[in-house]
């Protein structure tokens, strides 16, 4: 259902738009100096200068997506930990690295290290972050690593009760219960005060967010003045200057992946950059790291077809099996230059 809004020449209403995989354009509307609200805006307009705004997805759709995400990770996290350990993200593989292509757990640690390096997080002790939030924390691998590295406190949030419980158990087992904690919470409505964290960390969770503008807005809100924000996420390729959307075959491929992994519509790296710019964040940088993660998905597939992998997979649940069967689609997306593994970092003004 569309809503028609007339915007006069002189108005306090501002429109910020960006494109995505959909034929329609993402947008946010601002009334007055604050309160950005996400919408979808059609490219269509009337001769009277009307802009057609498509309403946000219903709350029921969001709840259904979040329920699917929680159940998917409730089912699959134990399997992942059993085979790959406590870091539930891609590894970073570099020809100049000492990390072997077969040493995937070391590559996952390197992903954290390289992300910190790219974001220019200081190695000087006096400038280390003291408080960290891990948005989409999995079973807490990043939080525990960062807390130990910087001597910081860290709190992680996830939609999965199973993940939160396991993450807290691992923190206690490693003697970090006084430094690290985990809870079930919505990344789009984080239960934290404004300006609470020196480092805002999101490692491969942005792809699950149905409202990218709200997601980025929450990351910025909880960041303290001068804080670093790091987003590592799956994106689709940037659209060309004459493109309004991805090709139909690209949209079809992403839809299959979305159905398997409980993902909403994808966006591009440049979309994230524009959102960060709209919030007046500083030192915004982005890079395509697809070449550095290329060995990851083939390795995950190989691990699934070991005896340990197969027996664990078959006992894990239908959602996990569906996700495993979709893994070749991710490889196809990378090979066809559709899927991009992106890092986007910035700093909140002092």
């Amino acid at each position: 259902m569309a809503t028609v809004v007339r915007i006069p020449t002189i108005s306090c209403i501002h429109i910020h738009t960006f494109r995505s995989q959909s034929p329609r354009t993402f947008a946010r509307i601002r009334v007055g100096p604050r309160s950005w609200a996400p919408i979808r805006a059609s490219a269509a307009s009337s001769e009277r200068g009307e802009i057609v705004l498509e309403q946000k997805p219903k709350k029921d759709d969001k709840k259904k997506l979040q329920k699917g995400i929680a159940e998917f990770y409730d089912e699959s996290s134990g399997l992942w930990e059993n085979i790959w350990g406590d870091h539930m993200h891609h590894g970073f593989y570099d020809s100049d690295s000492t990390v072997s292509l077969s040493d995937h757990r070391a590559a996952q640690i390197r992903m954290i290290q390289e992300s910190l390096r790219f974001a220019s997080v200081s190695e000087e002790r006096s400038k280390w972050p003291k408080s960290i939030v891990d948005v989409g924390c999995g079973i807490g691998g990043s939080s525990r690593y960062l807390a130990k590295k910087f001597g910081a406190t860290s709190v992680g949030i996830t939609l999965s009760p199973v993940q939160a419980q396991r993450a807290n158990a691992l923190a206690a087992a490693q003697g970090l219960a006084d430094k690290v904690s985990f809870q079930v919470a919505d990344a789009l409505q984080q239960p934290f005060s404004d300006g609470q964290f020196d480092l805002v960390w999101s490692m491969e969770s942005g792809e699950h967010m149905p409202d990218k503008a709200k997601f980025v807005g929450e990351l910025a809100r909880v960041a303290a003045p001068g804080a670093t924000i790091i987003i590592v996420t799956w994106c689709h390729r940037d659209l060309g200057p004459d493109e309004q959307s991805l090709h139909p075959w690209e949209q079809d491929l992403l839809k299959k992946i979305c159905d398997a992994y409980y993902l909403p519509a994808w966006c591009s790296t440049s979309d994230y950059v524009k959102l960060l710019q709209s919030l007046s964040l500083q030192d915004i940088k982005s890079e395509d790291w697809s070449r550095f993660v290329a060995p990851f998905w083939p390795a995950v597939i190989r691990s699934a077809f070991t005896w340990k992998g197969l027996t664990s997979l078959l006992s894990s649940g239908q959602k996990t099996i569906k996700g495993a069967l979709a893994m070749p689609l991710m490889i196809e997306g990378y090979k066809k230059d559709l899927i991009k593994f992106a890092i986007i970092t910035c700093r909140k003004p002092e």
Side-chain angles (χ1 to χ4, degrees):
M1 179 178 177
T3 303
V4 177
V5 179
R6 291 184 177 88
I7 299 178
T9 304
I10 300 176
S11 173
C12 62
I13 297 178
H14 307 275
I15 298 289
H16 168 73
T17 63
F18 61 97
R19 293 169 296 175
S20 75
Q21 76 187 68
S22 168
R24 291 189 179 272
T25 303
F26 279 108
R28 298 194 306 150
I29 185 168
R30 184 168 64 187
V31 181
R34 297 185 179 179
S35 300
W36 281 102
I39 54 167
R40 289 180 186 266
S42 170
S45 61
S46 75
E47 294 180 357
R48 293 180 297 176
E50 294 169 344
I51 297 175
V52 179
L53 304 180
E54 185 177 315
Q55 294 176 344
K56 289 193 299 179
K58 296 178 181 179
K59 289 184 179 180
D60 288 347
D61 294 336
K62 178 186 173 184
K63 289 181 179 179
K64 182 179 179 181
L65 175 65
Q66 290 184 331
K67 182 175 183 290
I69 294 169
E71 290 176 349
F72 176 75
Y73 286 111
D74 282 350
E75 276 190 11
S76 63
S77 294
L79 166 64
W80 182 271
E81 182 186 1
N82 189 34
I83 297 176
W84 279 74
D86 60 350
H87 293 280
M88 301 184 67
H89 56 78
H90 283 67
F92 188 102
Y93 307 85
D94 186 353
S95 57
D96 297 330
S97 169
T98 57
V99 173
S100 165
L101 288 181
S102 62
D103 194 354
H104 301 295
R105 296 194 186 193
Q108 289 173 308
I109 296 295
R110 185 169 168 82
M111 174 61 72
I112 299 174
Q113 295 168 339
E114 289 298 318
S115 298
L116 294 170
R117 180 196 59 77
F118 183 83
S120 301
V121 176
S122 180
E123 289 292 334
E124 188 178 331
R125 182 179 291 272
S126 63
K127 297 181 180 179
W128 283 358
K130 297 179 176 62
S131 58
I132 301 168
V133 62
D134 185 355
V135 181
C137 61
I139 57 173
S142 291
S143 291
R144 290 186 295 275
Y145 178 89
L146 294 169
K148 286 187 284 188
K149 176 178 176 64
F150 295 118
T153 59
S154 181
V155 56
I157 59 173
T158 172
L159 291 174
S160 165
V162 170
Q163 286 188 335
Q165 182 179 15
R166 181 57 179 158
N168 281 316
L170 288 169
Q174 295 174 22
L176 292 170
D178 61 331
K179 287 284 189 180
V180 184
S181 64
F182 303 91
Q183 60 186 276
V184 175
D186 182 358
L188 303 183
Q189 293 178 303
Q190 296 181 34
F192 307 121
S193 303
D194 294 357
Q196 186 170 337
F197 301 102
D198 302 321
L199 176 60
V200 178
W201 178 270
S202 172
M203 176 61 70
E204 296 188 51
S205 63
E207 54 270 19
H208 282 298
M209 306 300 168
D211 186 338
K212 300 297 192 287
K214 179 65 173 173
F215 169 56
V216 170
E218 278 292 274
L219 298 183
R221 181 185 67 79
V222 301
T228 298
I229 299 173
I230 299 177
I231 304 169
V232 181
T233 189
W234 310 354
C235 292
H236 67 59
R237 65 173 178 83
D238 287 341
L239 299 180
D242 298 324
E243 290 183 299
Q244 295 301 313
S245 66
L246 296 174
H247 300 302
W249 72 264
E250 293 175 313
Q251 295 182 42
D252 289 343
L253 178 56
L254 291 184
K255 185 180 184 306
K256 292 175 183 176
I257 295 172
C258 289
D259 291 343
Y261 297 123
Y262 295 90
L263 307 178
W266 295 47
C267 69
S268 68
T269 306
S270 63
D271 294 334
Y272 270 108
V273 169
K274 290 173 184 176
L275 283 173
L276 295 172
Q277 289 171 337
S278 76
L279 296 171
S280 300
L281 297 168
Q282 299 176 344
D283 301 332
I284 301 170
K285 298 190 295 181
S286 65
E287 193 165 281
D288 176 12
W289 279 4
S290 301
R291 67 191 184 281
F292 297 126
V293 301
F296 179 76
W297 284 96
V300 174
I301 290 176
R302 287 195 300 272
S303 69
F305 285 98
T306 62
W307 177 252
K308 181 179 181 181
L310 280 171
T311 53
S312 298
L313 180 62
L314 292 174
S315 62
S316 62
Q318 185 177 357
K319 289 181 172 63
T320 307
I321 295 171
K322 184 179 179 181
L325 294 174
M327 290 189 292
L329 299 177
M330 289 294 296
I331 295 175
E332 180 182 353
Y334 277 120
K335 286 184 175 179
K336 291 184 175 179
D337 227 19
L338 168 61
I339 296 177
K340 301 294 182 181
F341 189 88
I343 180 168
I344 310 104
T345 67
C346 63
R347 185 174 57 83
K348 190 169 181 178
E350 296 277 1

